[in-house]
Amino acid sequence: MRPNEASEAPALAARLEELKRRAAECIEASSERLAELSREIWSRPELAYEERQAHDALARFFAGLAPGSSAAGAWLVQRSYKLETALRADWQWGGEGDAAGAAPAAAAAAEDGQKAPLRLGFLCEYDALPGIGHACGHNLIAEVGAAAALGLKGALESLRPSGAADGLSRHVPAVKVTVLGTPAEEDGGGKIDLIKAGAFDGLDVVFMAHPSQEDAAYLPDVAEHDVTVKYYGKASHAAAYPWEGVNALDAAVLAYNNLSVLRQQMKPTWRVHGIIKNGGVKPNIIPSYAELEFYLRAPSLKELSILTEKAENCFKSAALATGCEMELKGGANDYYNVLPNKSLEKAYIENGKKLGMEFIPEDNLTGLSGSTDFGNVTFVVPGIHPYFYIGSDALNHTEQYTTAAGSEEAQFYALRTAKALAMTALDVVFKPDLLEKVREDFRLVKLKEEGYLNIPENGKVSGLGIGAACASR
C-alpha cells in the first residue's frame, strides 16, 4: 500500500460501511414488494422447466422497479433468456458515478486498455417440488437474489452525488449487476443448461443463498449422478409355464440387492438411493419389463466416477444373472459438488455477524448436504452459496417446510440474508485485494478438485500431485 493510500484507508473503510448501511436500507425499503414477490411464487408452485408464472412475476418485479424514471435507474429485462422459463435483468453503474454513462464509460475504458466492468451475478431459483410445493423454499431464494441485487444497486447509486471524489469509485471503471432467474434446480439442472448456453460467460463473482435450519457460509453439497435402468425380459404365464419367461422384475430386485450388499464397501460419504418404478402388471404374468431410478452421490467428481462404475456393475450383473436385456441411461446433467471459496465465505460471515447472524462452527460441517446445480456454476466462476435460517426447525422437503417458507416470520431472515450478500458484494467491488483473493481461491480449489495440486489445510501449495483429472459425464 502506497503512503497516500494508507492515509486514505480509514476514510475509505468508513465510506464503505456507509454504503453497506445504504444497501440494507434499500432492501428494507423494498420489503413489501419483495414479500409480495415471494408470496406470489410460493402460492403458485410450478415444477422444473414449467415455472412460467414465477418467471413472469420476477420479470414484472424488475421491469416495474423504476416506473417513470430515467433509463439510468431502470433494469434491462430479458424474458425467456436462453431457456423458456429463465430470465436475466441487468443494471450498470459507471465509475464516474453516473449509471446512464456506464456503457460509454466502459467502452472508453476498454479503448484505453483499462479493466472491463466488474460483473456480479445474483441467482434466483423458483421451481417447486411435486406434491408438496415450495418445500425447499425456492420462493425465498428468488426473493433473496432479487433483494441483494437491489441493495447493491441502491448503494452504488448513492455514490452519484460525490462520484469519484470520495475515492471509492476509482477502484473500478464500472460495475454490472446481473440477476439470473435459473429454473429447474430440483430436476434437470437449469443452471447447467444456462452454463452450456453461455449465460455465465463474463461474470466475475456470483451470489445466491439457500434456506435451511441454520446460518452457514458453506455446506458440503455433493456431486450427484442420476441413472435410469430398464430391464427387458419375456412375458409368460407365471403358473402354467414360468420356465418360458425371463423375469425383468427379478433383475430389478437383484440389482437393488446388489447395491445393498455393496454398501459395506462404500465410503461413509457416498450415498446411493433409488426406487423400483415399474415391476410388472399382474402377479400371474412374468414381468417382461422393470425399471429402476437411482441417485448416486459423492463428495467429489472423482469419487462419483468410482461409485458410478461400481453401481453400473451391480446393474449389469443382475441382467447377466437373469438373462434380461438392459438399458442404462444417465441423466442429462450431472450435478457437481459446490467448490468452497474461503475468502468470500469469510467476508460473508463478517457481514452476517454485523446483522446478528449466528453461524454454525466449521467443526460442525462434517456432515453431507444434498446436491445442487450451483455446484456446476462454481466450476466456471467464483461464487458463494450460503444457507440461512428461516425461523423454523422444520426439515427441507417436508410439508412443514413448505409452510415455513411461506410464513411472515421467514421474511425477516430472508431480508437479513440478502443484506449480507449485498454487503459482501460491496466488499468485492471496493476491496481489490479481496477480489484477487477470491479469484486465487477459485483457481486453487479447482486445481485441487482436478487433482493437479495437493493443498494442505493451511492452504499453501506444497507441490504437484499426481491425481487424475476430474471425471464427469
Side-chain angles (χ1 to χ4, degrees):
M1 183 179 291
R2 292 187 294 271
N4 62 324
E5 291 179 337
S7 63
E8 292 178 353
L12 294 180
R15 186 70 175 103
L16 180 54
E17 290 303 311
E18 289 179 17
L19 286 181
K20 290 180 180 181
R21 286 192 290 272
R22 177 57 182 157
E25 290 168 359
C26 289
I27 291 171
E28 203 61 46
S30 299
S31 60
E32 289 188 11
R33 292 201 66 211
L34 289 162
E36 186 179 311
L37 171 67
S38 180
R39 279 194 299 271
E40 185 172 358
I41 295 172
W42 180 85
S43 63
R44 298 188 295 186
E46 299 166 294
L47 301 182
Y49 297 111
E50 298 176 2
E51 315 94 325
R52 296 176 183 87
Q53 295 180 104
H55 163 277
D56 291 347
L58 196 62
R60 288 194 302 270
F61 179 85
F62 280 100
L65 278 176
S69 68
S70 67
W75 292 83
L76 173 63
V77 179
Q78 299 180 62
R79 295 170 179 257
S80 297
Y81 177 69
K82 300 188 182 293
L83 296 174
E84 181 189 354
T85 55
L87 172 139
R88 175 170 175 162
D90 292 301
W91 177 84
Q92 189 160 308
W93 169 80
E96 293 303 316
D98 183 0
E111 291 178 4
D112 293 340
Q114 299 177 22
K115 292 181 180 178
L118 179 65
R119 293 185 56 188
L120 305 182
F122 295 87
L123 308 189
C124 299
E125 295 177 4
Y126 33 72
D127 61 323
L129 288 159
I132 52 176
H134 280 287
C136 212
H138 288 193
N139 59 301
L140 297 176
I141 296 177
E143 179 183 5
V144 167
L150 291 189
L152 177 58
K153 175 178 181 287
L156 293 175
E157 284 181 318
S158 72
L159 285 173
R160 284 183 183 176
S162 52
D166 63 12
L168 278 176
S169 56
R170 69 166 176 249
H171 285 300
V172 286
V175 177
K176 188 168 188 177
V177 182
T178 296
V179 177
L180 286 177
T182 61
E185 189 276 338
E186 293 289 356
D187 185 21
K191 294 183 192 64
I192 305 170
D193 296 330
L194 289 170
I195 289 170
K196 294 175 181 177
F200 289 87
D201 293 353
L203 290 178
D204 291 290
V205 184
V206 293
F207 304 82
M208 72 165 283
H210 197 293
S212 183
Q213 295 76 45
E214 65 277 303
D215 287 306
Y218 171 80
L219 288 179
D221 289 297
V222 298
E224 185 268 340
H225 170 71
D226 57 88
V227 58
T228 298
V229 187
K230 299 178 180 180
Y231 291 107
Y232 300 93
K234 180 183 177 183
S236 181
H237 196 291
Y241 28 85
W243 53 87
E244 293 292 339
V246 178
N247 197 318
L249 178 58
D250 281 350
V253 171
L254 188 55
Y256 194 101
N257 289 335
N258 286 347
L259 288 167
S260 296
V261 173
L262 176 64
R263 292 182 191 280
Q264 187 181 43
Q265 277 70 49
M266 284 170 47
K267 292 184 177 182
T269 52
W270 293 0
R271 296 289 185 271
V272 174
H273 35 269
I275 59 171
I276 298 177
K277 293 184 68 174
N278 191 315
V281 294
K282 199 173 181 182
N284 64 348
I285 303 173
I286 298 291
S288 62
Y289 175 76
E291 182 177 338
L292 297 166
E293 184 176 0
F294 269 84
Y295 288 179
L296 315 176
R297 303 181 198 256
S300 68
L301 293 174
K302 183 177 179 180
E303 289 192 38
L304 181 61
S305 69
I306 297 170
L307 175 59
T308 298
E309 182 180 3
K310 291 179 180 291
E312 289 180 354
N313 286 337
C314 290
F315 300 134
K316 293 174 183 176
S317 62
L320 180 64
T322 57
C324 290
E325 298 293 325
M326 184 193 77
E327 178 185 333
L328 192 152
K329 184 179 181 181
N333 293 317
D334 285 348
Y335 283 24
Y336 295 1
N337 49 298
V338 174
L339 299 181
N341 193 294
K342 294 294 185 182
S343 297
L344 270 179
E345 292 158 20
K346 181 181 178 183
Y348 178 79
I349 290 172
E350 290 174 354
N351 288 309
K353 285 182 176 179
K354 294 175 184 176
L355 297 168
M357 289 185 182
E358 296 181 3
F359 293 91
I360 58 175
E362 284 196 24
D363 295 345
N364 294 354
L365 300 181
T366 54
L368 296 177
S369 185
S371 304
T372 169
D373 54 0
F374 187 84
N376 301 62
V377 175
T378 64
F379 276 74
V380 297
V381 58
I384 186 170
H385 182 272
Y387 284 81
F388 64 97
Y389 178 66
I390 67 168
S392 171
D393 294 328
L395 299 177
N396 296 61
H397 290 215
T398 65
E399 292 177 351
Q400 293 77 15
Y401 207 84
T402 302
T403 301
S407 70
E408 185 176 345
E409 185 178 7
Q411 286 302 301
F412 168 80
Y413 300 101
L415 295 184
R416 182 172 71 172
T417 301
K419 293 170 187 176
L421 284 180
M423 292 161 69
T424 304
L426 285 166
D427 284 331
V428 171
V429 172
F430 294 112
K431 293 182 178 179
D433 57 331
L434 174 59
L435 180 58
E436 291 173 8
K437 290 176 182 177
V438 167
R439 287 170 170 163
E440 183 65 5
D441 286 355
F442 172 68
R443 185 183 73 84
L444 291 178
V445 78
K446 272 195 69 178
L447 287 174
K448 180 183 179 183
E449 178 69 23
E450 294 168 351
Y452 296 130
L453 291 176
N454 293 319
I455 303 177
E457 291 302 315
N458 63 12
K460 295 181 179 178
V461 178
S462 58
L464 292 175
I466 54 173
C470 69
S472 61
R473 297 183 63 180

